[in-house]
Amino acid sequence: MLYNSGMDACLFFAPCKLNLFLHITGRRADGYHALQSIFLLLDHGDDLHIRLRSDGQLLLQNPLTGVAPENDLIIRAARALQTASGCQLGAEIHCTKRTPMGGGLGGGSSDAATVLLALNQLWQLGYSRQQLMQIGLTLGADVPVFIFGQPAWAEGVGEQLSAVALAPEIMDKYYVVITPQVQVPTAEIFAHQALTRDSKPLRIADFSNGANSSAFWQQTRNDMEAVVCALYPEVNNTLAWLKQYGDARMSGSGASVFIAVDSAEKADELIANRPENTSGFWAKGLKYHPLFSSAKD
């Protein structure tokens, strides 16, 4: 999604994501966890306004409170691409945030990925998707999936990605996402003694049918959910409320929880009646990131 917004600035969309499930299958010798998940990008997210500069400067026009611009993932992504490519151009970037922070929806990672994709195009670098994903991985484990840009089966620490075809009964649902007013530190959950790390590994072939049917929700879960709910009553209470309406679960390490429903009317109803002290939206899944075609395979 790229169009001229005046004064030679361009507007790019940074979609958020859901982990439709998240299994932890072990712990590696280096301390990282072995994961299996399916990522689905949503048509809800942040807007990035990017204006080119000829002097090489990278400026974030609306930095987050308490976060130095050079530490923000947006500028870190732009700097990483500038360093890798030797490009002499710069950029001014303004981010309109819609994705809740600390919700397990990948907002910061998506912003970073979109910066890499957008500047690859605006700076006319011609980097491949794989090259951008390698740069993205240095910024965070979730960044590559947004550059991958389509529904993805993930393994390793989440960086080993394969395209997965989701049938209409998964892809065409209306995903209601509700976020309590709490941020969950991912590192705290991964380090917690109560976290189970022994889910039986699945094969992507197991999902040639399972991921394409309603049985998907019975076959999968989020292994981090129990620990987060025990530590954060806000998440537990929000999830319990949403489970009244079906198979609700947490995305990533939380705090956002979600449920798939069949209509916009039902989605609107749940959002309107959501618990106090929560925010919410509903969205549809994306078959491709809006900037998917900007990077060659």
Side-chain angles (χ1 to χ4, degrees), residues 21-23 220-226 249-253:
F21 77 91
L22 178 58
H23 294 179
T220 60
R221 64 197 170 276
N222 185 332
D223 283 340
M224 306 184 85
E225 193 174 283
R249 60 183 58 176
M250 193 176 71
S251 180
S253 59

Side-chain angles (χ1 to χ4, degrees), residues 26-45:
R27 195 168 193 172
R28 308 188 322 185
D30 61 7
Y32 286 94
H33 290 75
L35 309 177
Q36 290 186 319
S37 187
I38 287 180
F39 287 92
L40 178 65
L41 305 189
L42 299 180
D43 62 1
H44 179 93

Side-chain angles (χ1 to χ4, degrees), residues 3 5 10-16 44-50 60-64 72 74 92-101 107-108 110-112 114-115:
Y3 57 92
S5 59
C10 296
L11 177 62
F12 299 86
F13 178 63
C16 64
H44 179 93
D46 300 340
D47 283 335
L48 295 175
H49 303 255
I50 302 179
L60 183 60
Q61 294 180 321
N62 59 330
L64 295 170
D72 191 290
I74 288 173
E92 296 176 12
I93 305 172
H94 181 282
C95 179
T96 301
K97 289 293 296 182
R98 296 190 185 88
T99 301
M101 296 177 63
S110 181
D111 292 343
T114 298
V115 165

Side-chain angles (χ1 to χ4, degrees), residues 63-213:
L64 295 170
T65 301
V67 179
E70 284 296 322
N71 294 331
D72 191 290
L73 270 173
I74 288 173
I75 295 299
R76 286 177 59 203
R79 185 76 64 200
L81 184 61
Q82 191 182 57
T83 299
S85 66
C87 183
Q88 299 300 305
L89 297 174
E92 296 176 12
I93 305 172
H94 181 282
C95 179
T96 301
K97 289 293 296 182
R98 296 190 185 88
T99 301
M101 296 177 63
L105 303 177
S109 295
S110 181
D111 292 343
T114 298
V115 165
L116 292 175
L117 288 163
L119 291 180
N120 183 51
Q121 178 173 299
L122 294 175
W123 290 347
Q124 299 181 3
L125 300 178
Y127 272 39
S128 69
R129 192 178 320 282
Q130 188 60 41
Q131 287 175 299
L132 294 176
M133 288 171 63
Q134 289 173 352
I135 295 172
L137 186 58
T138 68
L139 301 167
D142 278 354
V143 176
V145 75
F146 293 98
I147 301 169
F148 189 75
Q150 56 187 308
W153 167 270
E155 294 187 284
V157 296
E159 88 289 3
Q160 298 173 21
L161 303 171
S162 304
V164 60
L166 299 177
E169 61 257 42
I170 300 292
M171 197 71 201
D172 293 344
K173 292 288 189 179
Y174 296 77
Y175 287 91
V176 176
V177 183
I178 299 179
T179 306
Q181 293 180 356
V182 61
Q183 293 189 27
V184 178
T186 301
E188 174 191 18
I189 307 307
F190 272 123
H192 202 280
Q193 291 184 345
L195 182 67
T196 58
R197 302 175 174 90
D198 58 356
S199 286
K200 181 181 177 181
L202 302 171
R203 302 173 303 155
I204 191 170
D206 296 332
F207 288 83
S208 60
N209 294 317
N212 294 321
S213 72

